[in-house]
């Protein structure tokens, strides 16, 4: 019980800090965007402001992910219902397809009917978005890469899987990929440069476990990565309400 109270206090602290940082970051971002509107701004100053803007976007993503960790991972606050994962996956893939196309990556969806999961819609959308985004970012540009997203019922569970032909993950890194802010080998992190918060897979695992599911990762260096997410099957259940 004492450990649970400590964890709860830590999550509350993280949430409060993240909320407090949002306002000054928003002010800095707005001021930077206004400065970039000036057509007479010297090129070196413009480049600096653009770099600042990029870093602000990254910090904002970190804060959003921290807030997700402090809220969505609490099962007592999640509204569960029977969800058809196919239309949610279709929307996520459609959102990422143009960005994947720009990198010369073919993104496809394989979906089977009857993919009903007992889950929280907001949480499902976030973990799907994180996994598809990773597949897009960690697949080399214009190298004939591909990403295959699969949604299918599997016994008493529903599978959501993202398989990409990217750079893969080294064996020594594979055991640590769910750790917050873990830095994998340089060949992998170089692809995403300064983007990403280092919290994506942490959030995927925490949220999935909060919904009673599990995550498996298979990867080979230089041959791609497959992330398989399993959620409890839905069906004729009564909608649960947050406590």
């Amino acid at each position: 019980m004492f450990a649970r109270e400590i964890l709860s206090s830590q999550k509350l602290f993280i949430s409060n800090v993240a909320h407090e940082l949002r306002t000054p970051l928003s002010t800095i971002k707005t001021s930077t965007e206004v400065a970039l509107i000036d057509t007479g701004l010297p090129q070196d100053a413009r480049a600096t402001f653009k770099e600042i803007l990029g870093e602000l976007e990254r910090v904002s993503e970190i804060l959003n992910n921290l807030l997700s960790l402090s809220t969505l991972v609490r099962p007592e606050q999640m509204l569960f219902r029977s969800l058809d994962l196919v239309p949610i996956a279709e929307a996520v893939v459609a959102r990422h397809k143009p960005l994947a196309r720009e990198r010369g990556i073919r993104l496809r969806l394989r979906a089977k009917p009857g993919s009903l999961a007992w889950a929280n819609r907001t949480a499902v959308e976030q973990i799907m978005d994180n996994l598809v985004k990773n597949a897009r970012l960690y697949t080399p540009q214009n190298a004939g890469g591909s990403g295959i997203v699969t949604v299918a019922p599997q016994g008493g569970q529903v599978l959501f899987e993202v398989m990409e032909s990217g750079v893969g993950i080294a064996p020594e890194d594979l055991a640590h990929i769910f750790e917050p802010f873990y830095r994998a080998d340089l060949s992998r992190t170089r692809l995403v440069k300064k983007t990403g918060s280092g919290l994506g897979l942490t959030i995927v695992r925490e949220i999935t476990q909060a919904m009673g599911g599990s995550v498996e990762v298979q990867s080979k260096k230089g041959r791609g990565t497959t992330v398989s997410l399993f959620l409890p099957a839905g069906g004729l259940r009564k909608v649960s309400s947050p406590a």
Side-chain angles (χ1 to χ4, degrees):
M1 180 64 71
F2 181 65
R4 187 179 299 175
E5 289 175 356
I6 292 176
L7 183 60
S8 179
S9 297
Q10 287 176 338
K11 288 180 178 179
L12 181 60
F13 174 75
I14 290 171
S15 177
N16 289 339
V17 170
H19 276 295
E20 288 297 322
L21 287 174
R22 273 183 157 182
T23 299
L25 280 173
S26 178
T27 301
I28 297 170
K29 184 173 182 286
T30 301
S31 299
T32 304
E33 289 171 337
V34 170
L36 284 169
I37 295 174
D38 184 1
T39 56
L41 192 68
Q43 284 301 114
D44 56 346
R46 183 174 296 277
T48 299
F49 278 126
K50 284 185 176 180
E51 185 174 350
I52 291 171
L53 203 57
E55 289 299 322
L56 288 171
E57 291 290 348
R58 181 170 177 267
V59 174
S60 293
E61 182 182 354
I62 292 173
L63 291 179
N64 288 336
N65 283 332
L66 285 172
L67 287 171
S68 295
L69 275 175
S70 67
T71 55
L72 286 178
V73 296
R74 302 177 192 171
E76 71 275 8
Q77 294 188 1
M78 300 172 75
L79 176 65
F80 289 84
R81 64 175 68 244
S82 187
L83 293 174
D84 186 349
L85 298 193
V86 174
I88 302 176
E90 287 174 341
V92 171
V93 170
R95 186 160 61 245
H96 284 274
K97 260 190 176 180
L99 299 169
R101 194 178 301 118
E102 288 178 7
R103 293 176 55 84
I105 300 166
R106 186 182 179 190
L107 188 60
R108 292 176 290 164
L109 172 64
R110 294 175 178 173
K112 291 186 178 180
S115 298
L116 298 176
W118 186 248
N120 174 273
R121 185 181 184 90
T122 301
V124 165
E125 286 187 46
Q126 180 153 9
I127 56 181
M128 283 186 177
D129 193 71
N130 276 341
L131 292 180
V132 176
K133 179 182 178 182
N134 276 357
R136 175 171 57 81
L137 292 178
Y138 288 112
T139 300
Q141 188 169 351
N142 298 322
S146 64
I148 300 175
V149 178
T150 300
V151 181
Q154 198 167 90
Q157 297 177 307
V158 179
L159 169 69
F160 175 78
E161 183 176 86
V162 179
M163 179 173 63
E164 43 91 340
S165 59
V167 295
I169 304 170
E172 61 268 24
D173 291 320
L174 200 55
H176 303 284
I177 58 174
F178 292 112
E179 296 175 9
F181 306 112
Y182 180 76
R183 302 296 292 177
D185 63 280
L186 290 177
S187 63
R188 185 169 171 85
T189 56
R190 190 180 297 118
L191 278 177
V192 296
K193 296 181 181 178
K194 294 182 180 179
T195 62
S197 66
L199 287 168
L201 286 178
T202 303
I203 288 173
V204 167
R205 185 182 65 173
E206 293 293 326
I207 292 178
T208 301
Q209 290 180 344
M211 292 189 292
S214 61
V215 183
E216 297 177 3
V217 180
Q218 294 181 322
S219 187
K220 287 189 177 181
K221 185 74 172 175
R223 299 184 63 179
T225 301
T226 298
V227 182
S228 304
L229 187 151
F230 301 90
L231 290 174
L236 298 177
R237 298 198 197 185
K238 187 176 180 180
V239 175
S240 68
S241 301

